[in-house]
Amino acid sequence: MTDSSVLDLAPVVPVVVVEDVADAVPLARALVAGGLRAIEVTLRTPAALDAIRAVADEVPDAVVGAGTVISPQNVADSVAAGARFLVSPGWTDTLLDAMKKSGVPFLPGVSTTSEVVALLERGVSEMKFFPAEAAGGVPYLKSLAGPLPQARFCPTGGVSLSSAPSYLALKNVGCVGGSWMLPSDAVAAKDWARIETLAREAAALR
């Protein structure tokens, strides 16, 4: 995978919160079977790093990444666990340096024009737009395309099955991040077939 391909792996990147590491592999297999290979496991739970390790080891067709990366230690731990890309909700110079040195592709988070310009100045043109809906959504990204056409985004945060096509229609959007294909009741019931169906629906958006 090249540095420029995180945005091109699938139209939708599932944003996964794993509470029980035993769920990680069957959940990832269901997403991959539905056509969503890139899977972002957020570092929001104690099980996250073990979940990344399990998916990396046992689901070869998945491209597992780490989300909610907010420190150099998160970067190091995620890559050691097998993460093949990194996603942050925001960025600092320290975090950006650590992600650049990690050897894996990354999407630093932005929500303002100044943050986008600052990243472009540092040679980074692919980023996460977060929180997408709260930060201005489709109209905001559309307005950035004129002055900053070189920036490409993965909008995440409040994106749904109904709003995703509007984002994906924008020329500066490579993919969207979302969790609507992972309803909590389906995960709790270990209804992997339902998750596979929802993943297939999401994968067909583009």
Side-chain angles (χ1 to χ4, degrees):
M1 185 168 63
T2 66
D3 280 359
S4 62
S5 64
V6 183
L7 297 181
D8 301 317
L9 284 167
V12 178
V13 176
V15 179
V16 183
V17 179
V18 178
E19 301 286 353
D20 181 352
V21 72
D23 290 341
V25 167
L27 193 155
R29 285 179 176 149
L31 292 170
V32 170
L36 300 180
R37 291 179 56 227
I39 300 169
E40 175 188 334
V41 177
T42 69
L43 302 183
R44 299 182 197 174
T45 67
L49 289 170
D50 286 334
I52 290 170
R53 193 172 289 111
V55 174
D57 289 346
E58 298 179 47
V59 192
D61 290 336
V63 179
V64 65
T68 323
V69 173
I70 58 170
S71 70
Q73 190 64 54
N74 286 164
V75 172
D77 291 345
S78 299
V79 174
R84 292 171 61 187
F85 64 92
L86 306 169
V87 183
S88 70
W91 66 277
T92 64
D93 287 327
T94 302
L95 179 58
L96 190 67
D97 287 345
M99 292 195 290
K100 279 187 167 185
K101 291 173 184 170
S102 70
V104 300
F106 59 91
L107 294 174
V110 297
S111 61
T112 69
T113 309
S114 294
E115 290 170 320
V116 176
V117 173
L119 282 178
L120 291 173
E121 190 177 86
R122 288 160 175 77
V124 177
S125 61
E126 300 197 337
M127 42 201 92
K128 170 180 177 172
F129 179 57
F130 176 83
E133 286 290 290
V138 171
Y140 191 93
L141 285 176
K142 189 181 292 186
S143 69
L144 288 183
L148 301 169
Q150 64 273 57
R152 292 180 76 216
F153 302 94
C154 173
T156 306
V159 180
S160 65
L161 178 64
S162 59
S163 66
S166 298
Y167 282 104
L168 292 169
L170 300 176
K171 59 187 176 183
N172 58 349
V173 168
C175 63
V176 299
S179 55
W180 73 84
M181 74 298 299
L182 300 160
S184 54
D185 58 335
V187 176
K190 303 189 189 303
D191 189 349
W192 311 127
R194 181 179 168 204
I195 287 171
E196 180 182 337
T197 298
L198 292 169
R200 185 168 289 112
E201 189 178 33
L205 286 174
R206 174 177 285 166

